[in-house]
Amino acid sequence: MNLFDVYPLYNITPVKALDCTITDDNGIEYLDLYSGHGVISIGHTQPDYVAKVKAQLDKISFYSNAIQNPLQVELADKLGKASGLTDYSLFLCSSGAEANENALKLASFHSNKSRVIAFNNSFHGRTSAAVAATDNKKIVAPLNAQQAVTFLPLNNIDLVETELQKGDICCVIIEGIQGVGGLDEGTTAFFQALEKACKAHDVILILDEVQSGYGRSGKFFAFQHHGINPDIVTTAKGMGNGFPIGGVLISPKFTASYGLLGTTFGGSHLACAAGIAVLDVIENQKLIDNTNTVANYFFEAIKQVPEIIKVKGRGLMLGVEFDFDVSALRKKMIIEKHIFTGGANNKNLLRILPPLTITTEAIDTFIVALKESLAELK
């Protein structure tokens, strides 16, 4: 049997990793400034994380959600305290797409309506409703396109109000900071007006923090830069440091009932152990403080590169934009300079999503390599 060929692959085979360094099967070391789409939050093979996951494997790794699992309670308690959302409830699942799918379903159950407002260049996942709310026709099959979704530009509250007034909207879903779309985000004025409008029309506001959550923006969730309280928050990527886990944080306005939501693998003992370890390391190592320190350094240091026309994002969810397609630049950085970065729908944007443990010295290494690469490409 062959693999179904849906991923363009670099000819690199990682065999081990530690913190922000990946080593391939030829012994070549790479600086990881992408974290596998922002998944590695506390560094590769972080010792406390590895120890906790290994210890849990010796006890029990999985059983269904039909039994008591105190690790779920512990994870919910720690996540509530870390995020400040202590009065929210947690539904555990296995991915960001699954988190958004359940958030959209919960909003529709609550409102008994089906139309969704999403935003241009959004990305919410590849499952049925989540991909319908994703602004990329190439990955939306006809089956998914049956969903009723209206896409609007960011930062135009008048257009949102026009749609809300039609009375058939169940929810608005928006990323704290757009990831795949290219690091665009709503302004504070827009987020605050959006929250107010949703409340006025009894429409659910869903904040997709799958990539922008878990300290990556410099606050635990990116929406916290804007002083709002969404009805539902989704999270996943940094939540398990590579272990598949997702979560839906649900405000007190919702009433749970048996069978309303469900999952097979979500909230397993092993997933919860990984999730608890991540929160403990973020707190104990003050990684959100490090995120802000390194981000401030990055914003100053990157001024050394005159070819950059714009720096986007917050914290360690960053993009550097040029006036040309960066595909060749990104390939040169990986193959010749041994530095992983990411791309985006915006082909002129290089995406920077390092582990939250990254140092200012690593940023210096990146900037030297970037300047060399730009000169060589000329």
Side-chain angles (χ1 to χ4, degrees), residues 104 114-120 122 124 127-137 140 144-152 163 168-173:
L104 292 163
S114 61
R115 188 159 69 101
V116 174
I117 291 176
F119 294 90
N120 295 349
S122 60
H124 299 292
T127 54
S128 186
V131 79
T134 290
D135 187 19
N136 183 348
K137 290 183 173 60
V140 178
N144 311 127
Q146 299 176 94
Q147 308 280 347
V149 180
T150 299
F151 292 98
L152 299 175
E163 297 302 320
D168 63 338
I169 301 295
C170 83
C171 65
V172 175
I173 185 167

Side-chain angles (χ1 to χ4, degrees), residues 353-369:
L353 301 169
L356 306 188
T357 55
I358 198 76
T359 63
T360 55
E361 290 80 9
I363 299 304
D364 288 338
T365 298
F366 164 70
I367 289 173
V368 169

Side-chain angles (χ1 to χ4, degrees), residues 217-368:
S217 75
K219 290 188 179 291
F220 195 87
F221 287 125
F223 75 80
Q224 292 168 328
H225 288 282
H226 309 297
I228 65 169
N229 289 297
D231 300 303
I232 301 174
V233 182
T234 58
T235 187
K237 288 189 186 299
M239 193 175 184
N241 203 48
F243 195 94
I245 183 172
V248 186
L249 285 66
I250 303 163
S251 75
K253 74 163 51 178
F254 297 90
T255 301
S257 61
Y258 294 149
L260 186 69
L261 303 177
T263 177
T264 296
F265 297 105
S268 73
H269 298 77
L270 200 54
C272 287
I276 291 165
V278 167
L279 289 171
D280 286 346
V281 172
I282 287 174
E283 179 182 8
N284 295 337
Q285 296 192 6
K286 297 181 169 53
L287 291 188
I288 296 179
D289 289 344
N290 186 65
T291 295
N292 287 307
T293 297
V294 176
N296 290 336
Y297 184 86
F298 181 93
F299 276 103
E300 283 301 311
I302 203 68
K303 292 176 182 177
Q304 301 172 41
V305 187
E307 292 91 343
I308 293 171
I309 61 172
K310 191 173 185 180
V311 182
K312 302 167 78 173
R314 297 174 184 262
L316 292 175
M317 187 173 178
L318 300 164
V320 288
E321 189 171 8
F322 298 86
D323 61 0
F324 58 86
D325 187 316
V326 299
S327 299
L329 174 61
R330 185 180 172 218
K331 184 175 182 179
K332 177 180 275 287
M333 293 286 286
I334 295 173
I335 302 301
E336 298 179 20
K337 307 301 180 183
H338 305 142
I339 298 177
F340 282 100
T341 60
N345 285 348
N346 178 351
K347 299 305 179 185
N348 293 355
L349 189 93
L350 204 62
R351 211 156 32 127
I352 314 297
L353 301 169
L356 306 188
T357 55
I358 198 76
T359 63
T360 55
E361 290 80 9
I363 299 304
D364 288 338
T365 298
F366 164 70
I367 289 173
V368 169

